[in-house]
Amino acid sequence: MKVLIVGSGGREHAIALKLKQSPKVTELYCCPSNAGINQIATPVPVKATDIDGVVKFAKANHMDMVVVAPDDPLVLGMVDALNQEGIKTFGPRGEAALIEGSKVFSKNLMKKYHIPTAAYEVFYDAKSAIDYIKERNEFPVVIKADGLALGKGVIIAEDLTQAMDGVHSIMEDKIFGESGNQVVVEEYLTGPEVSVLAFTDSKTMVPMVSSMDHKRIGDGDTGPNTGGMGTIAPNPYYTPEMAKRCMEEIFLPTMAAMNKEGRPFKGCLYFGLMLTPKGPYVIEYNCRFGDPETQVVLPLLKTDLYEIFDAIYEERLSEIDVQWEDKASACVIMASGGYPKKYETGKEISGLEDVAAMKVITVYHAGTALKDGKIVTAGGRVLGVTAVGDDLKQALAKAYDAVGHIHFDAAHYRKDIGTVKR
Ligand code: AMP
Ligand code: GLY
């Protein structure tokens, strides 16, 4: 089978490595790819959001399956366009990807189908939003841009001034563009956060091993939010009892709700959960694999990933026995100094050969490129150094040991990934 992966981060590298292990997959392609993915897949110089370009390439080169990994092409309807040409895909159609593409849609869905989520109101202009926040007068308060915003569309305002600044910057300064035409103002919840990715073909729901993301740039969860600075799996807070509850109260009701709305979801549905004192709540849905959650979850998958993708496309996921290693994994993100604000690229990365020889370590490339035969930094998040161990402690020790062998100018990484406090 010839498979094309759309996207070029650490998540796509993890998907590519798993697909490569499938005896069914003979050729892998990736657009636009990166220096790490290039080692196992043929790079295709087409942008991940270029629907026509991807369809054209897939047709001309007879791809047997296209895996659309990032949110924007999914929300833009890349899967619909590929299916119209008879090309097999992994990922939801645009109508179902709306579960991530619009917070207003997903909040209204949860309300309508009684899926636990923070209480909220929707606003279409800044004045009404601010009037409401003033009247409510409870802080912190959470303000969310409706549309996609590179994972940065959420503002947690500690007081009225911050809330007003937040509403103005989203709705008037349009810092997230059209994504800020509507905002959701919601109740602030507390509790440990859990990410659960789930395979679903709209009939069967198979949750993967749970994980924990660390979104802030600094140790002790300080500083601005990032795309994710490290992950562990499984999530120590996610007990079997909690998993059972989430399946009954959240996962299955979400699948049923999407079917009722005429938007059957096929692909990987990501549940961003918070385990509040009142029970598990949905903080957000994503219509895709998480990044860097995928880098810790997929290494624990024992079942052939291509077989799973194929079964989802054909809506026979119930036939597949999805199995997991009874181990733990940890991923430490090495980022460019300055990220998530301004940072420099083009820095040579050393130590990758040493680490390649280490057992149980995989270095997923996120923002890398090849320059004059050398691997250099090419993004904010550069590498995801991942280890599998018998338990979390072992996985973390191994991942940090490997990080110590890798160097580039101004590299930044968190020293406290997997530290469970909260
Ligand atoms: P999101 O982009 O929706 O994942 O939100 C980013 C982060 O903001 C989440 O991981 C939470 O830590 C935080 N967050 C979002 N909504 C809430 C909420 N209602 N209460 C508390 N924290 C929240
Ligand atoms: N790690 C969070 C996300 O993928 O949205």
Side-chain angles (χ1 to χ4, degrees):
M1 295 289 166
K2 291 163 101 174
V3 181
L4 169 67
I5 299 169
V6 177
S8 60
R11 165 184 56 202
E12 287 76 9
H13 195 182
I15 294 171
L17 270 175
K18 261 292 151 185
L19 287 175
K20 188 83 188 164
Q21 290 169 9
S22 168
K24 292 237 161 99
V25 177
T26 49
E27 287 177 50
L28 262 184
Y29 297 80
C30 184
C31 66
S33 197
N34 66 36
I37 305 174
N38 285 355
Q39 293 165 1
I40 51 165
T42 308
V44 178
V46 173
K47 274 196 356 210
T49 46
D50 179 356
I51 295 185
D52 290 344
V54 167
V55 171
K56 227 164 120 187
F57 176 85
K59 263 177 83 175
N61 297 278
H62 311 289
M63 291 297 124
D64 295 296
M65 179 184 281
V66 179
V67 177
V68 184
D71 47 3
D72 350 16
L74 288 168
V75 172
L76 289 170
M78 186 177 280
V79 165
D80 311 50
L82 287 159
N83 291 166
Q84 262 162 28
E85 296 293 337
I87 301 165
K88 211 181 249 192
T89 46
F90 177 78
R93 299 168 76 105
E95 65 195 11
L98 196 66
I99 199 163
E100 173 170 5
S102 167
K103 296 251 193 260
V104 173
F105 169 78
S106 67
K107 294 296 290 188
N108 289 344
L109 183 87
M110 288 186 267
K111 187 187 258 180
K112 184 168 170 190
Y113 293 95
H114 310 290
I115 297 165
T117 191
Y120 72 101
E121 293 289 336
V122 177
F123 296 95
Y124 302 88
D125 67 90
K127 185 175 178 306
S128 321
I130 289 167
D131 285 349
Y132 170 78
I133 292 169
K134 277 185 184 156
E135 191 190 305
R136 190 170 168 272
N137 197 30
E138 267 177 51
F139 297 94
V141 65
V142 183
I143 302 158
K144 299 186 172 181
D146 175 50
L148 297 180
L150 298 169
K152 294 178 186 125
V154 174
I155 292 172
I156 297 176
E158 303 287 343
D159 54 37
L160 183 61
T161 314
Q162 281 183 14
M164 286 169 68
D165 285 351
V167 170
H168 284 303
S169 57
I170 294 176
M171 300 200 87
E172 284 167 357
D173 305 341
K174 297 266 185 206
I175 53 169
F176 305 119
E178 299 300 304
S179 287
N181 288 350
Q182 305 168 57
V183 292
V184 172
V185 175
E186 72 176 33
E187 165 197 18
Y188 177 77
L189 299 173
T190 53
E193 287 183 57
V194 182
S195 305
V196 178
L197 316 179
F199 293 117
T200 175
D201 61 357
S202 81
K203 295 176 172 158
T204 305
M205 176 72 74
V206 181
M208 303 180 214
V209 171
S210 63
S211 54
M212 179 192 281
D213 188 10
H214 297 68
K215 288 202 170 85
R216 304 289 197 101
I217 187 72
D219 285 1
D221 281 339
T222 52
N225 261 327
T226 67
M229 290 302 291
T231 35
I232 53 169
N235 186 313
Y237 287 102
Y238 197 66
T239 60
E241 297 73 43
M242 187 53 78
K244 186 167 178 286
R245 227 181 129 176
C246 290
M247 189 71 172
E248 286 162 6
E249 295 175 20
I250 296 172
F251 306 160
L252 293 175
T254 301
M255 184 174 79
M258 290 297 276
N259 287 337
K260 276 236 173 77
E261 293 296 306
R263 300 173 185 272
F265 189 101
K266 288 166 66 169
C268 171
L269 185 50
Y270 169 128
F271 298 91
L273 307 172
M274 194 174 268
L275 309 182
T276 78
K278 292 183 285 183
Y281 274 51
V282 177
I283 291 285
E284 63 161 349
Y285 292 115
N286 291 325
C287 64
R288 50 168 175 86
F289 280 100
D291 189 343
E293 284 89 342
T294 310
Q295 291 90 310
V296 284
V297 170
L298 285 189
L300 301 177
L301 177 67
K302 287 205 275 189
T303 312
D304 184 325
L305 186 63
Y306 180 83
E307 299 263 18
I308 297 174
F309 285 178
D310 197 40
I312 289 173
Y313 185 77
E314 293 175 359
E315 297 181 16
R316 48 175 185 80
L317 181 58
S318 63
E319 291 172 10
I320 306 272
D321 179 19
V322 180
Q323 298 213 351
W324 301 93
E325 302 269 9
D326 187 17
K327 294 191 170 194
S329 54
C331 171
V332 178
I333 297 289
M334 297 184 76
S336 300
Y339 172 79
K341 299 204 174 96
K342 259 182 79 160
Y343 56 83
E344 291 176 11
T345 57
K347 313 276 185 204
E348 187 178 337
I349 305 171
S350 65
L352 290 171
E353 295 80 17
D354 289 5
V355 174
M358 290 179 170
K359 274 199 204 131
V360 305
I361 301 288
T362 310
V363 178
Y364 295 109
H365 290 227
T368 63
L370 204 60
K371 196 175 149 200
D372 306 328
K374 293 185 172 129
I375 295 183
V376 299
T377 64
R381 289 189 296 171
V382 177
L383 301 169
V385 182
T386 304
V388 173
D390 291 336
D391 56 26
L392 186 59
K393 205 171 147 208
Q394 201 187 68
L396 281 163
K398 288 181 176 174
Y400 275 111
D401 177 42
V403 165
H405 286 75
I406 301 174
H407 299 281
F408 53 89
D409 253 9
H412 167 75
Y413 61 90
R414 275 182 65 163
K415 318 282 183 299
D416 65 344
I417 299 304
T419 307
V420 178
K421 37 172 190 44
R422 280 175 238 245

